[in-house]
Amino acid sequence: MTQRKPAGVGFETWIERQIREAQDRGEFDDLPGAGKPLQGLHEPHDELWWVKEKLRREEGTALPPTLLLRKEAADAREAAGRARTEAEVRSILADINARIDEAIRKPMSGPPLNLMPFDVDHVVAQWRAAR
């Protein structure tokens, strides 16, 4: 659909022709969800349904990047507490610390980050004490 509508041709006729030609080329074959009922037909109308669906589909979040990194840091700290080995604790913390360092060097949008890299040795000592 990269071409302009020719003069003298009605919109409906022009669009129907493009759809028919695309069907002939097989562009509608094997689309995801083919033959399945549409979701949400029996739910109340929501004007932002497509935004919510996109966020759910992409596992996205509406949080600003700084708040998202804070949440990921908290999740990483919890994951480190559940880790089975010291090497796993260090790996988890190294990953999140690299992201925190990057955010400190290149500020992100959103509220202030207010986050410092984890003291790996201190967290490992806490992990050992909990074992």
Side-chain angles (χ1 to χ4, degrees):
M1 192 150 173
T2 58
Q3 34 187 275
R4 289 180 164 257
K5 180 184 82 62
V9 176
F11 276 107
E12 189 172 342
T13 306
W14 180 63
I15 292 170
E16 287 174 352
R17 188 187 75 211
Q18 288 189 338
I19 292 171
R20 183 180 37 78
E21 289 173 356
Q23 285 175 327
D24 293 343
R25 289 190 302 268
E27 293 182 16
F28 296 120
D29 297 345
D30 300 323
L31 290 175
K36 297 178 184 172
L38 296 175
Q39 293 181 2
L41 285 181
H42 303 291
E43 296 174 11
H45 177 68
D46 181 6
E47 292 179 5
L48 297 176
W49 67 268
W50 63 274
V51 174
K52 293 173 185 173
E53 178 63 24
K54 183 169 177 64
L55 287 172
R56 184 196 60 76
R57 193 173 53 245
E58 296 180 3
E59 297 179 5
T61 179
L63 290 176
T66 53
L67 294 181
L68 182 59
L69 184 56
R70 283 192 215 169
K71 181 181 180 315
E72 290 170 357
D75 292 344
R77 180 66 176 91
E78 289 179 24
R82 292 189 309 266
R84 296 177 189 218
T85 65
E86 182 178 324
E88 188 178 348
V89 173
R90 291 183 182 278
S91 174
I92 291 168
L93 296 177
D95 290 343
I96 194 66
N97 278 349
R99 298 198 48 222
I100 293 170
D101 286 337
E102 181 71 16
I104 291 171
R105 279 195 300 276
K106 297 179 184 173
M108 306 166 98
S109 63
L113 184 59
N114 294 339
L115 194 61
M116 294 299 296
F118 289 101
D119 180 350
V120 176
D121 292 329
H122 180 71
V123 175
V124 167
Q126 288 178 332
W127 177 82
R128 280 190 198 133
R131 298 285 171 265

